[in-house]
Amino acid sequence: MARIKPQALLNQSKKKKGPSRISISTIVVCNLVVAVVVLSLVTTYRHWSQRSRNTLETQSQRFEDTNAVSQQKNYDLPGYADISTSKGLITVELFKDASPEAVDKFLDLCKKDHFKGMPFHRVIKNYLVQAGHSSSSIPIEEWTAKGKLRGRLDTSPKHEAFMLGTPKNKGNNKDFELLITTAPIPDLNYQLIVFGRVLKGEDVVQEIEEVDTDEHFQPKSQIGIISIVLKREL
């Protein structure tokens, strides 16, 4: 049997222990796979990112459209009213933004002639004049007591003299009444919804305020609203 020389054994051992070489084609394939995976991730990220932006833009556009419609609606609504009374004309500005619900109800009732012929059934000097088809649900004693306390309380700007409002406890259209203050009444904040103010005709309001009344603050002579004309501009 032929003996293998030591040098040949050493060469064979080195060949077995040495690492096998990776072919260039394998390296190229691996790089391509990695590139495809990275490209896929980038594409997916861009897709969802763009989708999120589109969703936000759509929601923002809807919000802007809703605001635009609301603003256009408020712009189209009349902002003023001429209240013709048996004592003269009173022009009021309506707070469409501050009291939209009360203004909407007022405008709707004006179109139905709800206030036509409505009498001023309560007149309290240096306090308010009130028009309505029914007697007030607020007791006389409470009105007068509040009048005495008025000077001790802080004044709310929206409840100054010559403000137009309606009682909060009047829940339906039939009982919707009109109040015009003739002095600051901060203590009626929780009872009165202010939705306008007198621009012209303060002297007419004061003339109504000066009529003779009985012990229930009801005018002795008939006085009331003849008609209301709505206007978009003065």
Side-chain angles (χ1 to χ4, degrees):
M1 187 175 187
R3 296 181 62 185
I4 301 175
K5 295 180 179 181
Q7 185 63 37
L9 289 174
L10 181 60
N11 292 337
Q12 290 180 2
S13 176
K14 288 182 178 180
K15 289 181 180 180
K16 291 180 180 180
K17 293 181 179 180
S20 60
R21 294 182 177 180
I22 301 175
S23 65
I24 296 177
S25 60
T26 302
I27 296 174
V28 171
V29 171
C30 290
N31 288 338
L32 287 175
V33 170
V34 171
V36 169
V37 172
V38 171
L39 182 61
S40 176
L41 291 175
V42 171
T43 303
T44 302
Y45 171 79
R46 288 181 177 177
H47 169 73
W48 286 107
S49 178
Q50 183 63 36
R51 186 172 178 178
S52 299
R53 283 197 296 269
N54 291 341
T55 301
L56 291 175
E57 289 175 359
T58 301
Q59 292 176 348
S60 177
Q61 185 63 40
R62 288 177 181 174
F63 180 75
E64 291 176 359
D65 291 344
T66 301
N67 282 346
V69 171
S70 178
Q71 291 175 0
Q72 182 64 32
K73 179 183 177 182
N74 282 346
Y75 177 78
D76 292 338
L77 291 175
Y80 306 91
D82 283 339
I83 303 175
S84 179
T85 74
S86 50
K87 290 293 185 179
L89 186 66
I90 303 170
T91 300
V92 299
E93 177 188 7
L94 304 176
F95 298 158
K96 296 187 292 183
D97 295 327
S99 304
E101 293 183 3
V103 170
D104 284 346
K105 185 177 291 187
F106 173 77
L107 295 176
D108 181 62
L109 292 175
C110 285
K111 295 174 182 177
K112 296 177 181 178
D113 290 330
H114 172 77
F115 302 104
K116 187 176 182 179
M118 177 179 282
F120 285 95
H121 64 81
R122 177 154 296 164
V123 175
I124 304 177
K125 191 173 182 180
N126 297 322
Y127 207 62
L128 56 79
V129 296
Q130 179 181 5
H133 289 300
S134 62
S135 58
S136 174
S137 60
I138 303 176
I140 298 293
E141 295 78 8
E142 191 171 350
W143 284 108
T144 54
K146 287 184 178 300
K148 293 176 183 178
L149 291 172
R150 184 177 64 247
R152 306 182 209 167
L153 302 173
D154 295 332
T155 302
S156 171
K158 72 174 185 176
H159 289 135
E160 296 176 353
F162 302 110
M163 305 306 287
L164 176 69
T166 188
K168 287 183 179 180
N169 58 351
K170 297 296 182 180
N172 55 63
N173 292 346
K174 183 179 179 181
D175 294 333
F176 194 93
E177 299 183 349
L178 296 181
L179 289 164
I180 299 178
T181 62
T182 58
I185 310 179
D187 43 312
L188 286 183
N189 286 356
Y190 69 99
Q191 289 182 337
L192 186 64
I193 300 175
V194 171
F195 64 91
R197 65 188 179 98
V198 176
L199 294 180
K200 300 177 183 178
E202 292 93 339
D203 56 330
V204 176
V205 177
Q206 291 173 334
E207 191 172 347
I208 297 173
E209 181 187 27
E210 293 296 331
V211 300
D212 291 333
T213 60
D214 59 20
E215 66 274 14
H216 300 295
F217 300 100
Q218 296 178 348
K220 292 181 180 180
S221 59
Q222 184 70 22
I223 180 172
I225 297 173
I226 299 173
S227 64
I228 297 181
V229 177
L230 302 174
K231 301 190 301 183
R232 287 186 173 84
E233 297 179 356
L234 284 177

PDB file of all heavy atoms in Angstrom, residues 12-13 30 45 59 65 68 92 100 114 120 130 133 144 151-152 156 179 220 232:
ATOM      1  N   GLN A  12      -3.997  18.432   2.113  1.00  0.00           N
ATOM      2  CA  GLN A  12      -5.391  17.982   2.178  1.00  0.00           C
ATOM      3  C   GLN A  12      -6.099  18.538   3.409  1.00  0.00           C
ATOM      4  O   GLN A  12      -7.256  18.915   3.362  1.00  0.00           O
ATOM      5  CB  GLN A  12      -5.430  16.443   2.196  1.00  0.00           C
ATOM      6  CG  GLN A  12      -5.041  15.794   0.889  1.00  0.00           C
ATOM      7  CD  GLN A  12      -5.099  14.277   0.976  1.00  0.00           C
ATOM      8  OE1 GLN A  12      -5.467  13.714   2.015  1.00  0.00           O
ATOM      9  NE2 GLN A  12      -4.699  13.607  -0.116  1.00  0.00           N
ATOM     10  N   SER A  13      -5.399  18.623   4.547  1.00  0.00           N
ATOM     11  CA  SER A  13      -6.004  19.161   5.788  1.00  0.00           C
ATOM     12  C   SER A  13      -6.361  20.621   5.623  1.00  0.00           C
ATOM     13  O   SER A  13      -7.405  21.081   6.049  1.00  0.00           O
ATOM     14  CB  SER A  13      -5.029  18.965   6.956  1.00  0.00           C
ATOM     15  OG  SER A  13      -5.543  19.557   8.117  1.00  0.00           O
ATOM     16  N   CYS A  30     -28.977  37.788  -3.173  1.00  0.00           N
ATOM     17  CA  CYS A  30     -29.285  38.276  -1.815  1.00  0.00           C
ATOM     18  C   CYS A  30     -29.502  39.784  -1.806  1.00  0.00           C
ATOM     19  O   CYS A  30     -30.422  40.299  -1.166  1.00  0.00           O
ATOM     20  CB  CYS A  30     -28.154  37.891  -0.860  1.00  0.00           C
ATOM     21  SG  CYS A  30     -28.061  36.119  -0.516  1.00  0.00           S
ATOM     22  N   TYR A  45     -45.173  52.293   3.223  1.00  0.00           N
ATOM     23  CA  TYR A  45     -45.178  53.470   4.101  1.00  0.00           C
ATOM     24  C   TYR A  45     -45.739  54.690   3.376  1.00  0.00           C
ATOM     25  O   TYR A  45     -46.565  55.425   3.907  1.00  0.00           O
ATOM     26  CB  TYR A  45     -43.764  53.746   4.594  1.00  0.00           C
ATOM     27  CG  TYR A  45     -43.632  55.063   5.326  1.00  0.00           C
ATOM     28  CD1 TYR A  45     -44.050  55.183   6.655  1.00  0.00           C
ATOM     29  CD2 TYR A  45     -43.103  56.183   4.686  1.00  0.00           C
ATOM     30  CE1 TYR A  45     -43.945  56.397   7.317  1.00  0.00           C
ATOM     31  CE2 TYR A  45     -42.996  57.382   5.345  1.00  0.00           C
ATOM     32  CZ  TYR A  45     -43.417  57.487   6.660  1.00  0.00           C
ATOM     33  OH  TYR A  45     -43.313  58.692   7.315  1.00  0.00           O
ATOM     34  N   GLN A  59     -61.501  65.296   5.842  1.00  0.00           N
ATOM     35  CA  GLN A  59     -62.203  65.711   7.051  1.00  0.00           C
ATOM     36  C   GLN A  59     -62.122  67.221   7.237  1.00  0.00           C
ATOM     37  O   GLN A  59     -63.103  67.867   7.624  1.00  0.00           O
ATOM     38  CB  GLN A  59     -61.611  64.989   8.271  1.00  0.00           C
ATOM     39  CG  GLN A  59     -61.878  63.492   8.282  1.00  0.00           C
ATOM     40  CD  GLN A  59     -61.203  62.803   9.453  1.00  0.00           C
ATOM     41  OE1 GLN A  59     -60.353  63.388  10.132  1.00  0.00           O
ATOM     42  NE2 GLN A  59     -61.570  61.558   9.694  1.00  0.00           N
ATOM     43  N   ASP A  65     -66.419  73.094   4.807  1.00  0.00           N
ATOM     44  CA  ASP A  65     -67.672  73.226   4.053  1.00  0.00           C
ATOM     45  C   ASP A  65     -68.850  73.425   4.990  1.00  0.00           C
ATOM     46  O   ASP A  65     -69.753  74.229   4.723  1.00  0.00           O
ATOM     47  CB  ASP A  65     -67.903  71.970   3.199  1.00  0.00           C
ATOM     48  CG  ASP A  65     -66.896  71.861   2.060  1.00  0.00           C
ATOM     49  OD1 ASP A  65     -66.238  72.876   1.753  1.00  0.00           O
ATOM     50  OD2 ASP A  65     -66.749  70.760   1.501  1.00  0.00           O
ATOM     51  N   ALA A  68     -68.712  76.875   6.266  1.00  0.00           N
ATOM     52  CA  ALA A  68     -69.102  77.814   5.206  1.00  0.00           C
ATOM     53  C   ALA A  68     -70.606  77.845   5.027  1.00  0.00           C
ATOM     54  O   ALA A  68     -71.213  78.916   4.879  1.00  0.00           O
ATOM     55  CB  ALA A  68     -68.428  77.419   3.892  1.00  0.00           C
ATOM     56  N   VAL A  92     -84.485  96.835  16.078  1.00  0.00           N
ATOM     57  CA  VAL A  92     -83.602  96.001  16.893  1.00  0.00           C
ATOM     58  C   VAL A  92     -82.615  95.249  16.010  1.00  0.00           C
ATOM     59  O   VAL A  92     -82.899  94.935  14.858  1.00  0.00           O
ATOM     60  CB  VAL A  92     -84.403  94.989  17.749  1.00  0.00           C
ATOM     61  CG1 VAL A  92     -85.325  95.699  18.707  1.00  0.00           C
ATOM     62  CG2 VAL A  92     -85.189  94.038  16.857  1.00  0.00           C
ATOM     63  N   PRO A 100     -78.333  81.805  18.370  1.00  0.00           N
ATOM     64  CA  PRO A 100     -78.924  81.328  17.109  1.00  0.00           C
ATOM     65  C   PRO A 100     -80.286  80.669  17.257  1.00  0.00           C
ATOM     66  O   PRO A 100     -81.164  80.861  16.416  1.00  0.00           O
ATOM     67  CB  PRO A 100     -77.875  80.349  16.577  1.00  0.00           C
ATOM     68  CG  PRO A 100     -77.102  79.915  17.785  1.00  0.00           C
ATOM     69  CD  PRO A 100     -77.076  81.115  18.691  1.00  0.00           C
ATOM     70  N   HIS A 114     -96.898  85.750  14.406  1.00  0.00           N
ATOM     71  CA  HIS A 114     -97.177  85.418  15.810  1.00  0.00           C
ATOM     72  C   HIS A 114     -97.273  86.664  16.682  1.00  0.00           C
ATOM     73  O   HIS A 114     -98.068  86.707  17.639  1.00  0.00           O
ATOM     74  CB  HIS A 114     -96.064  84.501  16.329  1.00  0.00           C
ATOM     75  CG  HIS A 114     -96.123  84.240  17.807  1.00  0.00           C
ATOM     76  ND1 HIS A 114     -97.019  83.373  18.376  1.00  0.00           N
ATOM     77  CD2 HIS A 114     -95.381  84.755  18.836  1.00  0.00           C
ATOM     78  CE1 HIS A 114     -96.834  83.343  19.686  1.00  0.00           C
ATOM     79  NE2 HIS A 114     -95.854  84.159  19.992  1.00  0.00           N
ATOM     80  N   PHE A 120     -98.630  94.481  25.169  1.00  0.00           N
ATOM     81  CA  PHE A 120     -97.678  94.619  26.276  1.00  0.00           C
ATOM     82  C   PHE A 120     -98.482  94.439  27.560  1.00  0.00           C
ATOM     83  O   PHE A 120     -99.210  95.332  27.985  1.00  0.00           O
ATOM     84  CB  PHE A 120     -97.003  95.991  26.233  1.00  0.00           C
ATOM     85  CG  PHE A 120     -95.964  96.119  25.152  1.00  0.00           C
ATOM     86  CD1 PHE A 120     -96.305  96.659  23.923  1.00  0.00           C
ATOM     87  CD2 PHE A 120     -94.663  95.685  25.358  1.00  0.00           C
ATOM     88  CE1 PHE A 120     -95.357  96.770  22.918  1.00  0.00           C
ATOM     89  CE2 PHE A 120     -93.708  95.795  24.351  1.00  0.00           C
ATOM     90  CZ  PHE A 120     -94.053  96.337  23.119  1.00  0.00           C
ATOM     91  N   GLN A 130     -92.863  94.050  28.743  1.00  0.00           N
ATOM     92  CA  GLN A 130     -93.020  92.665  28.307  1.00  0.00           C
ATOM     93  C   GLN A 130     -94.275  92.523  27.463  1.00  0.00           C
ATOM     94  O   GLN A 130     -95.354  92.971  27.843  1.00  0.00           O
ATOM     95  CB  GLN A 130     -93.099  91.736  29.526  1.00  0.00           C
ATOM     96  CG  GLN A 130     -93.281  90.267  29.187  1.00  0.00           C
ATOM     97  CD  GLN A 130     -93.374  89.419  30.434  1.00  0.00           C
ATOM     98  OE1 GLN A 130     -93.389  89.938  31.553  1.00  0.00           O
ATOM     99  NE2 GLN A 130     -93.437  88.120  30.263  1.00  0.00           N
ATOM    100  N   HIS A 133     -98.888  86.839  24.697  1.00  0.00           N
ATOM    101  CA  HIS A 133    -100.299  86.464  24.608  1.00  0.00           C
ATOM    102  C   HIS A 133    -100.787  85.803  25.892  1.00  0.00           C
ATOM    103  O   HIS A 133    -101.966  85.491  26.013  1.00  0.00           O
ATOM    104  CB  HIS A 133    -100.530  85.517  23.429  1.00  0.00           C
ATOM    105  CG  HIS A 133    -100.397  86.186  22.100  1.00  0.00           C
ATOM    106  ND1 HIS A 133    -101.186  87.245  21.711  1.00  0.00           N
ATOM    107  CD2 HIS A 133     -99.561  85.935  21.055  1.00  0.00           C
ATOM    108  CE1 HIS A 133    -100.859  87.627  20.493  1.00  0.00           C
ATOM    109  NE2 HIS A 133     -99.870  86.852  20.064  1.00  0.00           N
ATOM    110  N   THR A 144     -90.548  92.393  41.433  1.00  0.00           N
ATOM    111  CA  THR A 144     -90.282  93.584  42.237  1.00  0.00           C
ATOM    112  C   THR A 144     -89.103  93.372  43.163  1.00  0.00           C
ATOM    113  O   THR A 144     -88.305  94.280  43.391  1.00  0.00           O
ATOM    114  CB  THR A 144     -91.528  93.965  43.050  1.00  0.00           C
ATOM    115  OG1 THR A 144     -91.957  92.834  43.819  1.00  0.00           O
ATOM    116  CG2 THR A 144     -92.670  94.370  42.132  1.00  0.00           C
ATOM    117  N   GLY A 151     -79.331  96.944  42.135  1.00  0.00           N
ATOM    118  CA  GLY A 151     -78.184  97.814  42.355  1.00  0.00           C
ATOM    119  C   GLY A 151     -77.046  97.146  43.096  1.00  0.00           C
ATOM    120  O   GLY A 151     -75.929  97.646  43.079  1.00  0.00           O
ATOM    121  N   ARG A 152     -77.295  96.000  43.726  1.00  0.00           N
ATOM    122  CA  ARG A 152     -76.249  95.357  44.521  1.00  0.00           C
ATOM    123  C   ARG A 152     -75.453  94.319  43.732  1.00  0.00           C
ATOM    124  O   ARG A 152     -74.488  93.778  44.219  1.00  0.00           O
ATOM    125  CB  ARG A 152     -76.879  94.638  45.724  1.00  0.00           C
ATOM    126  CG  ARG A 152     -77.759  95.532  46.571  1.00  0.00           C
ATOM    127  CD  ARG A 152     -78.289  94.719  47.742  1.00  0.00           C
ATOM    128  NE  ARG A 152     -79.580  95.188  48.209  1.00  0.00           N
ATOM    129  CZ  ARG A 152     -80.348  94.501  49.043  1.00  0.00           C
ATOM    130  NH1 ARG A 152     -79.931  93.338  49.478  1.00  0.00           N
ATOM    131  NH2 ARG A 152     -81.505  94.989  49.432  1.00  0.00           N
ATOM    132  N   SER A 156     -73.978  92.377  33.844  1.00  0.00           N
ATOM    133  CA  SER A 156     -73.507  91.649  32.667  1.00  0.00           C
ATOM    134  C   SER A 156     -73.725  92.525  31.447  1.00  0.00           C
ATOM    135  O   SER A 156     -74.802  93.076  31.270  1.00  0.00           O
ATOM    136  CB  SER A 156     -74.294  90.340  32.513  1.00  0.00           C
ATOM    137  OG  SER A 156     -73.992  89.732  31.289  1.00  0.00           O
ATOM    138  N   LEU A 179     -89.279  90.651  25.615  1.00  0.00           N
ATOM    139  CA  LEU A 179     -88.953  91.534  26.736  1.00  0.00           C
ATOM    140  C   LEU A 179     -87.943  92.563  26.255  1.00  0.00           C
ATOM    141  O   LEU A 179     -86.997  92.229  25.546  1.00  0.00           O
ATOM    142  CB  LEU A 179     -88.335  90.743  27.893  1.00  0.00           C
ATOM    143  CG  LEU A 179     -89.262  89.807  28.690  1.00  0.00           C
ATOM    144  CD1 LEU A 179     -88.431  88.845  29.516  1.00  0.00           C
ATOM    145  CD2 LEU A 179     -90.160  90.615  29.608  1.00  0.00           C
ATOM    146  N   LYS A 220    -103.159 100.086  31.943  1.00  0.00           N
ATOM    147  CA  LYS A 220    -104.597 100.367  32.021  1.00  0.00           C
ATOM    148  C   LYS A 220    -105.185 100.617  30.642  1.00  0.00           C
ATOM    149  O   LYS A 220    -106.384 100.403  30.432  1.00  0.00           O
ATOM    150  CB  LYS A 220    -104.824 101.566  32.931  1.00  0.00           C
ATOM    151  CG  LYS A 220    -104.492 101.305  34.393  1.00  0.00           C
ATOM    152  CD  LYS A 220    -104.767 102.533  35.245  1.00  0.00           C
ATOM    153  CE  LYS A 220    -104.445 102.276  36.707  1.00  0.00           C
ATOM    154  NZ  LYS A 220    -104.704 103.464  37.574  1.00  0.00           N
ATOM    155  N   ARG A 232     -82.464  92.502   6.295  1.00  0.00           N
ATOM    156  CA  ARG A 232     -81.071  92.047   6.280  1.00  0.00           C
ATOM    157  C   ARG A 232     -80.095  93.190   6.511  1.00  0.00           C
ATOM    158  O   ARG A 232     -78.984  92.968   6.983  1.00  0.00           O
ATOM    159  CB  ARG A 232     -80.767  91.354   4.948  1.00  0.00           C
ATOM    160  CG  ARG A 232     -81.390  89.982   4.809  1.00  0.00           C
ATOM    161  CD  ARG A 232     -80.931  89.283   3.538  1.00  0.00           C
ATOM    162  NE  ARG A 232     -81.400  87.900   3.499  1.00  0.00           N
ATOM    163  CZ  ARG A 232     -82.601  87.543   3.073  1.00  0.00           C
ATOM    164  NH1 ARG A 232     -83.450  88.470   2.649  1.00  0.00           N
ATOM    165  NH2 ARG A 232     -82.951  86.278   3.067  1.00  0.00           N
TER     166      ARG A 232
END
